[in-house]
Amino acid sequence: MESLTSRMQGVQSPIIPVVGELIKNSPGTISLGQGVVHYNPPPETIEFLPNFFAEPANNLYKSVEGIPPLLTALAGKLQAFNGIEINEENCIVVTAGSNMGFMNAILAITNPGDEIILNTPYYFNHEMAIAIAGCHPVLVATDKNYQLRPNAIAQAITPKTRAVVTISPNNPTGVVYSEAALCQVNQICDTNGIYHISDEAYQHFTYNGVKHVSPGAFGSSKYTISLFSLSKAYGFASWRIGYMVIPKHLFVAIKKVQDTILICPPVISQYAALGALQAKEEYLQNNIGAISQVRQLVLDSLNRLQGLCSITPANGAFYFFLKVNTQMDAFELVKRLIQEHKVAVIPGTTFGMDDGCYLRVAYGALQKETAKEGIERLVQGLKTIVRS
């Protein structure tokens, strides 16, 4: 039987399951691959669930955009932490994770054949969503420190451009974009009548006194779409709750997309999120403080690879992005690290980096001792493989 073809043939395969299969076939491997945290949601998450079960009608569909108590709680958080005021010009839509928020946005603002500007290295699910929508990613390289180049972004805009995407703190590089650069992007988008899609999933993960900045707080929100997630900071990966702040004029279009794909975000997860947002400040401080300690341990070990790898300073998220001084294919290097040294990382090719051998190292999922062992395996593995 002749195989059917579809638009999905032009979409890259998700890398995490591919690397996961390699890990499964190499028992004892320590993963520095997937971008998750090692800790659980706050106890308030579970404590709040009886409120869900106490309401008999909670087995029914709820509002497409989210339950009112959660929308109210998120509005308070956005005002206090992000400086974003929810008013008559914008609104919140709760989503099943911020990846869904991105897909919602792309489908709402584009027609097939339109262009979306991605800064490289990009987040692979963003590139995949653009391809699924029948649109084209236009790639703009960041500078040698993976910082934005606003002038290059402006030059890449064409009549088909519908949005510029930024991620800060960044996946996969861990860098935090400056307020000035993000402000420039907002101004470029406003001038050209296109959208600035700001992915802020790692907003709580900053180090060395660096502060997170939300483009949605810069003033007019007419062209700013802000994406947020509970997956990272609140250990909510499987609960699938994110949210987006959108210009009010996109609300009907976003609701059409979300109602078609999801109807409404899982209501039990929304109650869990409402509980999580009640957590004491110490919850985030202590857990992100622990990740900060692991980060320093990882950085100290990676610095022993000077000459073998280029390590760009990164004050956010829980990633380092290495450029390995080798002609070896990145995925081949990843396979050998797993099979020969029992440590897994993600190849840079999946983030759009084809001009060398790059690796993303994720350190959020591991506690100190496991991270120490994993990073030692990586350091020794790179020394052995690249120098052989």
Side-chain angles (χ1 to χ4, degrees):
M1 179 180 174
E2 192 173 318
S3 64
L4 297 173
T5 60
S6 81
R7 70 181 69 198
M8 301 310 295
Q9 286 190 312
V11 179
Q12 68 164 301
S13 295
I15 191 64
I16 299 298
V18 173
V19 172
E21 191 66 23
L22 291 171
I23 293 171
K24 189 169 72 173
N25 294 330
S26 188
T29 296
I30 294 176
S31 178
L32 299 168
Q34 193 163 23
V36 293
V37 296
H38 69 267
Y39 56 86
N40 293 322
E44 290 86 351
T45 301
I46 305 303
E47 293 166 3
F48 216 80
L49 290 184
N51 295 333
F52 168 82
F53 294 109
E55 173 52 62
N58 273 341
N59 62 307
L60 303 176
Y61 296 128
K62 299 299 177 184
S63 298
V64 174
E65 66 270 26
I67 59 174
L70 181 55
L71 294 172
T72 298
L74 291 172
K77 175 266 171 186
L78 287 161
Q79 178 77 67
F81 185 81
N82 303 94
I84 296 175
E85 179 187 0
I86 301 303
N87 52 39
E88 66 281 353
E89 295 181 357
N90 61 12
C91 59
I92 303 168
V93 176
V94 179
T95 59
S98 61
N99 273 6
M100 182 174 191
F102 187 82
M103 191 81 241
N104 284 352
I106 295 300
L107 290 173
I109 67 174
T110 64
N111 290 309
D114 284 344
E115 298 172 350
I116 305 291
I117 293 176
L118 296 180
N119 296 281
T120 56
Y122 53 64
Y123 171 45
F124 53 85
N125 280 138
H126 286 173
E127 190 268 347
M128 292 166 68
I130 292 164
I132 289 170
C135 297
H136 304 293
V138 173
L139 307 184
V140 174
T142 48
D143 70 16
K144 64 179 182 179
N145 291 317
Y146 302 123
Q147 293 290 335
L148 296 173
R149 297 164 57 232
N151 290 339
I153 291 171
Q155 290 169 9
I157 293 172
T158 75
K160 285 187 171 292
T161 305
R162 293 295 171 263
V164 176
V165 180
T166 62
I167 312 169
S168 183
N170 188 261
N171 177 11
T173 65
V175 303
V176 180
Y177 297 149
S178 70
E179 180 173 353
L182 290 170
C183 193
Q184 275 186 271
V185 174
N186 252 28
Q187 291 169 346
I188 289 166
C189 291
D190 190 67
T191 299
N192 288 275
I194 61 177
Y195 294 94
H196 179 183
I197 304 177
S198 171
D199 187 330
E200 302 174 44
Y202 299 90
Q203 59 185 324
H204 293 287
F205 296 89
T206 56
Y207 316 100
N208 298 325
V210 172
K211 300 296 184 184
H212 172 67
V213 176
S214 293
F218 291 160
S220 171
S221 54
K222 185 177 179 182
Y223 292 109
T224 305
I225 299 170
S226 305
L227 307 179
F228 303 95
S229 173
L230 271 71
S231 294
K232 311 304 180 182
Y234 288 93
F236 245 62
S238 71
W239 290 89
R240 307 313 304 136
I241 291 292
Y243 53 104
M244 54 197 309
V245 179
I246 60 173
K248 191 61 102 23
H249 65 260
L250 290 178
F251 187 51
V252 172
I254 295 287
K255 283 182 71 173
K256 287 179 182 179
V257 178
Q258 183 143 301
D259 186 72
T260 301
I261 297 172
L262 185 68
I263 298 183
C264 67
V267 178
I268 191 169
S269 293
Q270 292 190 67
Y271 272 78
L274 192 53
L277 292 172
Q278 317 302 315
K280 297 178 176 64
E281 286 186 18
E282 289 77 15
Y283 171 78
L284 291 178
Q285 290 172 352
N286 293 342
N287 284 307
I288 294 174
I291 287 179
S292 179
Q293 292 178 19
V294 172
R295 172 186 176 276
Q296 192 57 52
L297 181 153
V298 170
L299 185 58
D300 290 345
S301 294
L302 290 177
N303 280 333
R304 289 160 40 205
L305 292 171
Q306 295 292 350
L308 201 64
C309 297
S310 300
I311 304 155
T312 299
N315 287 310
F318 34 73
Y319 305 113
F320 288 112
F321 201 62
L322 309 184
K323 182 175 184 181
V324 186
N325 298 327
T326 178
Q327 298 300 311
M328 187 181 299
D329 174 75
F331 187 65
E332 183 61 29
L333 178 55
V334 167
K335 285 198 292 185
R336 288 191 61 183
L337 284 167
I338 294 171
Q339 293 164 354
E340 299 171 20
H341 297 275
K342 305 288 189 184
V343 63
V345 290
I346 302 297
T349 43
T350 200
F351 304 102
M353 299 298 279
D354 298 315
D355 62 338
C357 183
Y358 297 84
L359 304 174
R360 189 190 76 174
V361 179
Y363 54 85
L366 304 176
Q367 299 194 45
K368 190 176 289 186
E369 287 309 309
T370 311
K372 186 174 182 180
E373 173 63 24
I375 204 69
E376 283 301 311
R377 292 183 189 183
L378 178 63
V379 169
Q380 293 305 317
L382 288 173
K383 285 182 177 179
T384 301
I385 296 170
V386 176
R387 288 176 176 167
S388 62

